Amino acid sequence: MRALLSVYDKSGIVHLARGLAAAGWDLVSSGGTARAIAAEDIAVTDVAELTGAPAILGHRVMTLHPKVHGGLLADRDDPEHQADMAAHDISPIDLLVSNLYPFGSNPTAFSHGGSAGAVDLIDIGGPAMIRAAAKNHAHVAVVVDPADYGPVLAEVQTSGVVSETTRIALAAKAFATTAAYDTAIAAWFAADIGTGPPPEPADAEPAEPADLAVPADAATRPAADGGTDPLPSTLRITAGRDPIALRYGENPHQRAALYRTEGADPWWAHVTQHSGLALSYLNLYDADAAWLLAHDLARATGQVACAIVKHANPCGAAVASTAAEAYQAAFDCDPRSAFGGIVATSAPIDAATVDEMVAAAQADVVIAPGYDDGVIDALRAKRKNTRLLDAPAPTPDPLHVRPVTGGYLVQEPHRFVSPPESWRVVTTRQPTDPERADAALAFRLCGWVTSNSIVLVRGGVAWGIGAGQQNRVEAGQIATAKAAGRAAGGACASDAFFPFPDGIEAAAAAGVAVVVQPGRPDGSARDDEIIAKADELGLAMLFTGERHFLH
C-alpha cells in the first residue's frame, strides 16, 4: 500500500506518516512535507525519485507527472489500465493526503496591480491530484482535512485499508474543497479590490498550498450610467464545511445550524461566552442586529450606545456618556418588551451598569466589548441564565444577500448616505440644535427598524418605536403610545415620506417639535400639503432625500 503526502498545513502530518509507516505502508512525499517526515526518521520517498524528474519552473511542475496521476487515476479493474501501468512502470497510489495554500485568506488584499505574487499562490498540482484521487475513490482515499487523519489512520490500523464508505465521504469533501478554492480564485480575477497580493509565509511552498473560498465575489460590471455596478456579474457563495449545530431554528420543529461564509471573519466567530446556555438561532439573529445597531449609533453620535432588540427590532435604544446611563435609558423605553431581549452596549460593562441590569427585567443575552473586573461574577449571581458575551466590533458584509425561492436577492449593504447637515429645512420654523440632534438619532434608528417605521426621540433616547406596520399611521400610533408623552419637544422620524397630512398631525399629537422624513422622491406638489400642515402646527420639518425601508 502506498500513500502520497503533500500538504501546506502540516499539523498532524508526522503522526499520520508514522502510523502509516508502522502499518507497513510506503510513503511518498515532496518539498517541506518530505523534509518534516524525514526529520522524524520516518522512511519516505521523494516525488522526484518516484517520477525521475526534478521539480522545475520554480516548483510549478513537480507532481504533474504520469507516475503520480497514473497511480491516482488507474482503474485497477480495467485490464487496459493495468497494461498501461505495467508498460510505463506506474505503481498505484492508495491514499492521497493533500491540502492547499489558503489563497484568498485575505481576499481584500488582492489586486491585479500586483498580480504576479498572487498568481504564484494559485496551486495547480494540489487540486489536480485531489480531483484525480476523488474521481477514483473506488480505489483511492483522499484526505484534505487534518481533522480526518485520526479516523483514516484508525481504519488502516484496524483493517489495513480505508473503507468504501469513508472513501466516498472523503471524496465528497475533496470536491467541495477544490470547488471552494476555485471560487476564491475566480472571485479574485473578477474583483477590482485591494492594493496588492497577500504576503507569502516564509515557509510556504507553492506546490503544497490549503483550501479556501469567498462568500460572494466582489466582481464589478458596467452600470447603465457608464459607471461601475458594485453587484457581481456572477454570485458565488461558499459556506464553511463545519457548521455549528443549533438546538433548533425559529421554532422547535425546525432543525438549524450556523454556517460561516468562507473568507469572512464575523464577530460571532470570536465571541467569548461567559455564562448561560448555548446560543440559539434567534439569539444569534437578534444579537447580530443589536450588535450592529449599537456600534452604528456609537459611531454616528460619538457617545456610548445601548440597543435592546426583540424579534430583530429595537424595543429600546439610547446614547449617553456612560454604559450605565445608556442601558437604563434604553430599558426605560419599553420595559415590558425588553424582558427576554438582547442587550448590546458599545462600551464595556462596569459595576454601575450591572446595578441597573439586575434591577431591570432579565435579558436573554448581553453582548459587550468587555466586562470590568468582578462584573461577570456579579451578573452570574443575579442572572444565571443570561448569556454573557464579549465580542469584537462587527464588520458589515460587502453585499446583502437574501434567499428567495430558487435564487437570491442581492443588494449593496444598508448605509446612510446623506449627512444630517445636508438635510433641507422645508418649514418656516427652523429646528434648534438639540432638535436637530434628536432628529438625526431618530432617523438613523428608523433605518434599523422594519418598515413601516416611526421613531420618537428626545434627549438621545428612543422613547417610542413603531415597527413593521402595513401603514404609517398605525406605526405612528404605536410609537406615540409607547412614548407616552416622553418625546415631547423631541423629534419624530419616518423611514419613508408621509403620504398624507394625518401623519404630521399624529406627530404633533405626540408633542414633538421637529419631523424628519425623506420627502417624496419626485418632489411633487403633495409634499406642499405636508409642509403646510407642519407650518400650521408650528413644527419644524427636515427632508433627508433618502428613504430607509427595511424588511
Side-chain angles (χ1 to χ4, degrees):
M1 304 295 284
R2 172 174 288 184
L4 172 55
L5 293 75
S6 181
V7 297
Y8 169 73
D9 179 0
K10 296 176 181 60
S11 58
I13 195 64
V14 170
H15 177 75
L16 175 63
R18 183 178 289 110
L20 291 171
W25 284 51
D26 294 330
L27 306 182
V28 178
S29 190
S30 63
T33 309
R35 291 192 295 273
I37 294 170
E40 298 296 322
D41 294 325
I42 302 169
V44 61
T45 299
D46 194 274
V47 166
E49 184 179 342
L50 173 72
T51 63
I56 61 173
L57 306 180
H59 281 230
R60 285 192 175 190
V61 178
M62 183 164 61
T63 58
L64 297 170
H65 193 281
K67 288 198 172 183
V68 173
H69 284 270
L72 292 171
L73 281 167
D75 181 349
R76 300 168 200 183
D77 298 325
D78 188 325
E80 291 187 9
H81 285 207
Q82 291 179 348
D84 284 343
M85 292 177 73
H88 297 285
D89 191 25
I90 297 173
S91 298
I93 296 172
D94 304 285
L95 171 65
L96 172 69
V97 181
S98 181
N99 53 60
L100 313 174
Y101 183 84
F103 181 98
S105 58
N106 184 14
T108 59
F110 296 170
S111 167
H112 287 284
S115 62
V119 167
D120 282 342
L121 303 181
I122 299 175
D123 190 9
I124 301 301
M129 289 193 297
I130 290 171
R131 290 176 60 84
K135 175 178 179 177
N136 199 26
H137 62 269
H139 304 285
V140 182
V142 53
V143 180
V144 297
D145 185 351
D148 293 321
Y149 292 173
V152 167
L153 183 57
E155 288 195 12
V156 168
Q157 292 170 332
T158 300
S159 60
V161 297
V162 181
S163 69
E164 179 183 19
T165 299
T166 299
R167 293 197 308 272
I168 292 171
L170 292 172
K173 180 180 281 192
F175 278 121
T177 295
T178 57
Y181 192 74
D182 287 341
T183 295
I185 296 169
W188 174 72
F189 271 104
D192 184 20
I193 55 178
T195 57
E200 185 174 349
D203 62 346
E205 296 155 7
E208 302 186 58
D211 47 9
L212 178 109
V214 295
D217 69 25
T220 55
R221 53 192 169 90
D225 62 2
T228 299
D229 189 334
L231 301 181
S233 55
T234 302
L235 183 70
R236 301 177 180 90
I237 300 174
T238 306
R241 294 191 306 269
D242 299 309
I244 300 170
L246 304 175
R247 284 183 295 152
Y248 52 80
E250 286 185 280
N251 300 291
H253 63 275
Q254 294 172 272
R255 297 177 64 183
L258 175 63
Y259 292 79
R260 177 172 172 174
T261 309
E262 295 281 3
D265 191 27
W267 64 266
W268 49 261
H270 304 283
V271 158
T272 299
Q273 181 168 345
H274 298 284
S275 67
L277 298 172
L279 295 169
S280 70
Y281 180 101
L282 290 177
N283 287 156
L284 286 160
Y285 191 78
D286 286 352
D288 191 54
W291 200 225
L292 288 165
L293 173 55
H295 281 271
D296 181 67
L297 295 182
R299 283 192 298 268
T301 64
Q303 296 182 274
V304 177
C306 179
I308 303 177
V309 166
K310 193 82 169 284
H311 296 300
N313 273 302
C315 59
V319 295
S321 58
T322 69
E325 291 171 332
Y327 168 75
Q328 187 59 55
F331 177 79
D332 287 343
C333 293
D334 188 353
R336 181 184 297 167
S337 298
F339 178 79
I342 310 294
V343 175
T345 67
S346 65
I349 291 179
D350 56 15
T353 312
V354 171
D355 290 341
E356 302 292 355
M357 286 182 169
V358 298
Q362 180 162 321
D364 267 11
V365 177
V366 174
I367 178 170
Y371 298 83
D372 285 359
D373 290 344
V375 161
I376 291 173
D377 289 338
L379 279 171
R380 280 176 180 157
K382 298 290 186 178
R383 294 286 185 260
K384 64 179 181 179
N385 292 325
T386 297
R387 300 159 177 88
L388 303 178
L389 315 178
D390 68 59
T395 301
D397 290 329
L399 292 175
H400 183 262
V401 181
R402 173 175 288 172
V404 293
T405 303
Y408 296 95
L409 291 171
V410 182
Q411 63 178 349
E412 293 179 90
H414 175 261
R415 66 191 189 282
F416 296 88
V417 178
S418 59
E421 56 268 22
S422 72
W423 297 347
R424 186 164 56 99
V425 180
V426 295
T427 50
T428 301
R429 182 180 178 278
Q430 298 287 313
T432 65
D433 288 344
E435 290 167 1
R436 279 184 176 273
D438 285 340
L441 180 61
F443 192 68
R444 199 161 193 100
L445 271 164
C446 263
W448 293 93
V449 179
T450 53
S451 301
N452 289 306
S453 68
I454 297 291
V455 176
L456 305 180
V457 166
R458 183 178 64 81
V461 183
W463 295 112
I465 299 173
Q469 298 304 301
Q470 287 74 24
N471 67 74
R472 199 156 301 282
V473 172
E474 290 179 3
Q477 290 171 345
I478 292 171
T480 299
K482 287 179 178 290
R486 295 174 295 177
C492 168
S494 173
D495 60 348
F497 68 84
F498 283 105
F500 305 108
D502 56 1
I504 304 301
E505 292 172 340
V512 302
V514 60
V515 173
V516 56
Q517 59 144 319
R520 292 177 185 269
D522 56 3
S524 72
R526 295 297 297 273
D527 271 343
D528 293 341
E529 298 178 38
I530 307 300
I531 295 168
K533 179 57 67 174
D535 279 335
E536 176 188 330
L537 296 171
L539 299 175
M541 187 156 63
L542 296 160
F543 278 8
T544 68
E546 182 177 312
R547 190 182 76 181
H548 280 283
F549 274 170
L550 179 67
H551 293 83

